[in-house]
Amino acid sequence: MTGTIVLQAFSGTCHCGAVRFKARCDPSYSVLCDCSMCRRRNSIMLRCDASDLVIACGDDKLTEYRFNTGVAIHYFCSTCGCYTFHRMRKLPDKFAINAGCLDGLDKAALRPIFIEGSKA
């Protein structure tokens, strides 16, 4: 069935494990963005509603970075520097989760769509 959203629960961590979180995402929909930030970090992202992201531990280790309009909030572990997720600019009620941080996700099976964030 086309267009069906199937949320799956994932656990995620930064590289050092100081930040741990849980997120419910649809792995059939992933994105790769060409904005100046995403182009440099080159991470595939899954979306989730803000209510579907729960930080289990390490909230105090998260550092935020904002640029341009300052609306999007990019979160990094202050210990290892790993990008974990960000609150989206165009959809502020959603987060984009770094697929590389999610345990049990077959990243090779992802087929990300390309988003031209550089033109937004």
Side-chain angles (χ1 to χ4, degrees):
M1 183 189 279
T2 306
T4 302
I5 296 173
V6 179
L7 296 178
Q8 292 182 24
F10 294 98
S11 293
T13 66
C14 63
H15 185 259
C16 71
V19 177
R20 297 183 181 278
F21 59 92
K22 297 195 180 298
R24 288 179 5 107
C25 310
D26 179 2
S28 71
Y29 181 78
S30 58
V31 298
L32 189 57
C33 176
D34 77 339
C35 78
S36 61
M37 174 62 85
C38 293
R39 190 172 62 246
R40 285 168 176 80
R41 72 174 168 234
N42 195 34
S43 61
I44 297 173
M45 297 164 284
L46 301 180
R47 288 184 186 167
C48 76
D49 289 337
S51 60
D52 286 331
L53 173 64
V54 176
I55 300 168
C57 70
D59 186 43
D60 60 327
K61 297 291 185 185
L62 287 171
T63 297
E64 67 176 59
Y65 176 70
R66 299 179 190 220
F67 67 101
N68 195 10
T69 65
V71 175
I73 308 169
H74 302 261
Y75 292 94
F76 299 83
C77 172
S78 63
T79 302
C80 66
C82 183
Y83 156 68
T84 51
F85 43 79
H86 73 275
R87 185 174 290 272
M88 300 173 68
R89 179 177 58 89
K90 283 192 164 184
L91 301 168
D93 61 328
K94 300 205 181 297
F95 278 85
I97 310 295
N98 179 354
C101 291
L102 298 175
D103 299 327
L105 176 66
D106 181 5
K107 288 166 263 324
L110 298 177
R111 299 292 175 255
I113 63 166
F114 182 72
I115 294 184
E116 293 181 306
S118 63
K119 295 187 173 132

